[in-house]
Amino acid sequence: MTDQNIQIRLAAASDKDTVVRVFHEAGLDTDEAMATGTTYWVMERGGQPIGAIGLEHGDGASLLRGAAVMPDARGGGLGRRLIMSATEYAQGRGDRAIYMFSSGGDWSTFGFTQVPMALVMGDIPDAPQVKAYRSGGQRPGDTTWMRDLTSGASKA
């Protein structure tokens, strides 16, 4: 399948319902989606939303918030494009690291390594996912991952 009609664009406040729907379809948490201090993108094919991703920003680091592709659009590397787009944005804003919580999968193919949850909680204490966990919520994912952005080398 060709992906010439694929566009990743910065999400506007009016895209919140779209982001929530895409995350919901992927089984991801939608609480605090598009909260203050975050940046989100919507992936579209022919003008129709098929994916979304977000970053929760801290001081010199960001936390990946959802990387979701609608079920009927999966399998063509679109999730990888979303993750790489968010990673490039984090690098461009000068982040030294990007973190993520995951409930499965091997994220090393994206240049991530597993790290203790305490590392992200200490590095980005005000990120919405971290604040929600600290206030008594469920652990966000089974594993915590980090990608070092200081090397400058693209790993994906």
Side-chain angles (χ1 to χ4, degrees), residues 18 22 35 37-38 43 52 57 77 80 95 97 112 126 129 135 139 152:
T18 298
V22 170
T38 63
M43 176 182 273
H57 304 297
R80 176 173 289 277
D95 285 347
F112 286 84
D126 295 324
Q129 290 178 87
S135 71
R139 177 187 166 95

Side-chain angles (χ1 to χ4, degrees), residues 8-123:
I8 300 173
R9 64 172 177 78
L10 195 59
S14 60
D15 289 311
K16 182 174 181 173
D17 288 344
T18 298
V19 170
V20 167
R21 182 171 50 86
V22 170
F23 281 10
H24 180 74
E25 285 286 323
L28 298 176
D29 176 31
T30 59
D31 292 343
E32 300 294 325
M34 297 190 58
T36 302
T38 63
T39 305
Y40 282 78
W41 295 265
V42 173
M43 176 182 273
E44 297 175 330
R45 176 186 290 140
Q48 296 300 310
I50 59 167
I53 193 167
L55 285 176
E56 298 177 356
H57 304 297
D59 184 20
S62 289
L63 178 61
L64 193 65
R65 173 59 192 266
V69 176
M70 297 293 272
D72 62 346
R74 292 182 185 153
L78 298 178
R80 176 173 289 277
R81 286 180 58 183
L82 280 170
I83 291 168
M84 296 318 303
S85 180
T87 300
E88 289 169 13
Y89 181 87
Q91 285 175 314
R93 72 183 292 272
D95 285 347
R96 68 186 172 285
I98 187 170
Y99 296 96
M100 69 176 292
F101 298 119
S102 175
S103 295
D106 179 2
W107 294 94
S108 63
T109 61
F110 293 92
F112 286 84
T113 55
Q114 275 190 271
V115 296
M117 186 167 178
L119 185 62
V120 67
M121 292 181 72
D123 209 12

